[in-house]
Amino acid sequence: MKNKLASRSWCAVLLLVATPIAARAEGGCDSLMGLRLPDVRIVDAKAEPAPVPHCRASGVVGREIRFAIWLPQDWNGRFVMGGAGGFAGTVENQAMALGALQKGYATAGTDTGHQGTAIDGSWALGNLERIVNYGHVAVHRVTEVSKAIVRSHYGRDADKSFFAGCSNGGRQALMAAQRYPEDFDSIIAGAPANDLTGTIAGFVYVTQRMYPDPASLDKPILGGADRAALRKAIVAQCDRLDGIEDDVLHDPRACSFDPKKLACGASDNADGCLSAEELAAVEAIYGGAHSPAGRLSPGYPLGGEDKEGGWGMWLAGREGGAMAPGIPTAAYGFGLGFMRNFVYQDPSWSYAGYDFSTFERDLALVAASIDATNPDLSAFRERGGKLLVYHGWSDSALTALGSIDYVEAVYAKDPGAKEDVRLFLMPGVLHCAGGPGPDHVDFLAALEAWESGGPAPDELEAQFRQGGGGRKVCAYPKQLRFLGGDPRDPARFACEE
């Protein structure tokens, strides 16, 4: 591996930079309608002026894998496949949120092989082909088709091919690195749902304790006032541990807060204290799902308790009402949708009385197509592949502890992987973005610099969404240390072992 990496010398990088790689289309959008590819139908193609002049084409691969591709007029010579969140169901391209089209990338996205809403799993009922398409086949096939369209439109292959996705898109990213190592030269995986079956276990486990009666979904066990009291107590104990009082924990694992300190008295259950039922719900979130045989998923770090885009949306229920009719939380929607339609093929399946004793056995077949947990990235890395993983510490959808577990497993498999696989944990950031922490990083620029022969990044700069300024985010396992001064000046922070 070292020899292969060494061969990518700075001389080669300078030669690449000196060689013009930008290109313009050889033909117009209309010419794509006549493109003939095996098992592919192009259904439309049209020129669009914004956000930059480009050609947008859409089509279908196989029976029902829909896709779209955006082809900029001023092409930078590269291709990036964008991920899709949730249960997909509409053509989505998460690379667009990273400015891929404005940066000159040809870029594509897919609905993963079915139509529906992102939280609706009913499409999987009785349809193994759709499950496998969603698991990994759709992204792979659309990637191959998109590369052929790029070749036809610009008259040559892309110089480099990347993938960028978050959430389920992060799962797709890791799936590509593990199962299709030749598809992409380098990959961005944000908040990956790579252990999707473990995530489902956590969703159902929490839902059992937050809504113990499946027939009564109007009010969760843990209300908004109790979540606010919980967050207030955490902040009071731990916010200053990093030297800044700002509602952001640089590393939630450093906080030894025990929710039992908010336990109600024997006869008291007022807002602001936690009853036995409320404590059980809180501890299910922090502790993760368990079966009689042991742990099924890691818990969630401290951080998203009183955020409506955190526990409110994902785990406990929002003050403004349900996410959708009959769906009080995202955990409920995804958890039941998966168990009913992917696993048990029974739309009436209920979590009432479910003890998880057969969970791993019952989900084994689906897990083989859905989970992207293989730590062996040797085939991807031997081709020079780089993997940049990021995760918000306050993510209440997919626990950052899961990303740590996966990257640790990769490093344990091959310690040399630290040169090609980097994880960035983002303090105060919710699911993919949002929250009180700085959440904007130019991940595409970071990947380009690394992939083109630069050193593996030890730190990146993240900008605040509001109020200006930013901070550093550190490559795991380095820790962020505040040096004093302006807490919105990245130069006032250091990444240290």
Side-chain angles (χ1 to χ4, degrees), residues 12-167:
V13 174
L14 291 172
L15 179 61
L16 176 63
V17 171
T19 303
I21 59 172
R24 285 185 173 243
E26 289 197 334
C29 260
D30 292 344
S31 65
L32 291 176
M33 292 300 297
L35 182 61
R36 297 290 180 263
L37 297 170
D39 207 23
V40 177
R41 288 179 289 121
I42 305 296
V43 298
D44 69 14
K46 59 182 178 180
E48 296 183 344
V52 295
H54 67 280
C55 173
R56 183 187 186 279
S58 60
V60 183
V61 182
R63 292 201 300 174
E64 55 181 351
I65 301 172
R66 290 168 176 80
F67 74 94
I69 184 167
W70 293 257
L71 301 158
Q73 181 175 299
D74 294 319
W75 182 43
N76 68 5
R78 297 185 169 195
F79 168 72
V80 58
M81 181 73 191
F87 286 144
T90 57
V91 173
E92 183 181 358
N93 179 352
Q94 294 174 332
M96 297 287 272
L98 300 180
L101 190 59
Q102 294 93 319
K103 290 174 180 286
Y105 282 90
T107 182
T110 177
D111 67 357
T112 72
H114 61 274
Q115 292 183 296
T117 65
I119 201 169
D120 174 22
S122 63
W123 53 267
L125 187 66
N127 197 317
L128 184 59
E129 180 182 356
R130 286 181 174 177
I131 292 173
V132 175
N133 281 340
Y134 172 77
H136 58 90
V137 169
V139 167
H140 173 63
R141 294 193 69 184
V142 169
T143 296
E144 293 297 304
V145 168
S146 296
K147 289 179 180 180
I149 293 174
V150 166
R151 184 183 309 116
S152 172
H153 191 63
Y154 295 110
R156 67 178 179 86
D157 289 320
D159 299 302
K160 296 289 182 180
S161 295
F162 298 154
F163 185 96
C166 192
S167 191

Side-chain angles (χ1 to χ4, degrees), residues 376-450:
D376 184 359
L377 299 180
S378 57
F380 175 69
R381 293 175 51 237
E382 284 169 3
R383 299 182 62 252
K386 308 298 183 188
L387 174 61
L388 191 160
V389 186
Y390 67 91
H391 209 132
W393 263 126
S394 296
D395 192 333
S396 300
L398 299 164
T399 171
L401 300 177
S403 285
I404 292 174
D405 285 350
Y406 177 71
V407 170
E408 287 279 19
V410 171
Y411 293 169
K413 182 75 175 177
D414 181 357
K418 292 178 182 179
E419 293 303 312
D420 304 315
V421 179
R422 290 291 163 106
L423 167 63
F424 291 87
L425 297 165
M426 304 179 70
V429 175
L430 298 174
H431 185 50
C432 293
D439 66 344
H440 178 71
V441 177
D442 193 340
F443 288 113
L444 269 176
L447 189 70
E448 286 172 347
W450 186 17

Side-chain angles (χ1 to χ4, degrees), residues 246 435-440 461-472 486-490 493:
D246 60 353
D439 66 344
H440 178 71
E461 285 194 8
Q463 303 300 311
F464 283 97
R465 189 169 292 245
Q466 296 180 339
R471 289 180 185 168
K472 291 179 180 178
D486 182 358
R488 284 180 174 250
D489 178 1
F493 293 84

Side-chain angles (χ1 to χ4, degrees), residues 338-340 342-346 349 354 358-359 362-363:
F338 196 91
M339 298 294 279
R340 287 172 172 173
F342 286 69
V343 181
Y344 292 118
Q345 302 288 302
D346 178 5
W349 181 88
Y354 185 68
T358 63
F359 180 86
D362 293 347
L363 273 72

Side-chain angles (χ1 to χ4, degrees), residues 4 25 38 75 85 117 165 174 255 271 383 427:
K4 186 176 286 290
W75 182 43
T117 65
L174 295 186
C255 179
D271 286 343
R383 299 182 62 252

Side-chain angles (χ1 to χ4, degrees), residues 250-319:
H250 283 178
D251 185 344
R253 297 172 301 178
C255 179
S256 58
F257 178 80
D258 184 353
K260 291 187 178 69
K261 71 185 300 181
L262 296 183
C264 298
S267 59
D268 184 22
N269 188 20
D271 286 343
C273 72
L274 301 179
S275 68
E277 268 193 315
E278 290 164 348
L279 272 173
V282 169
E283 290 172 350
I285 293 173
Y286 291 143
H290 292 74
S291 73
R295 195 188 79 165
L296 295 171
S297 67
Y300 292 82
L302 306 173
E305 294 80 6
D306 67 340
K307 303 291 186 282
E308 288 304 287
W311 282 25
M313 173 181 176
W314 286 94
L315 303 169
R318 296 186 294 186
E319 294 299 295

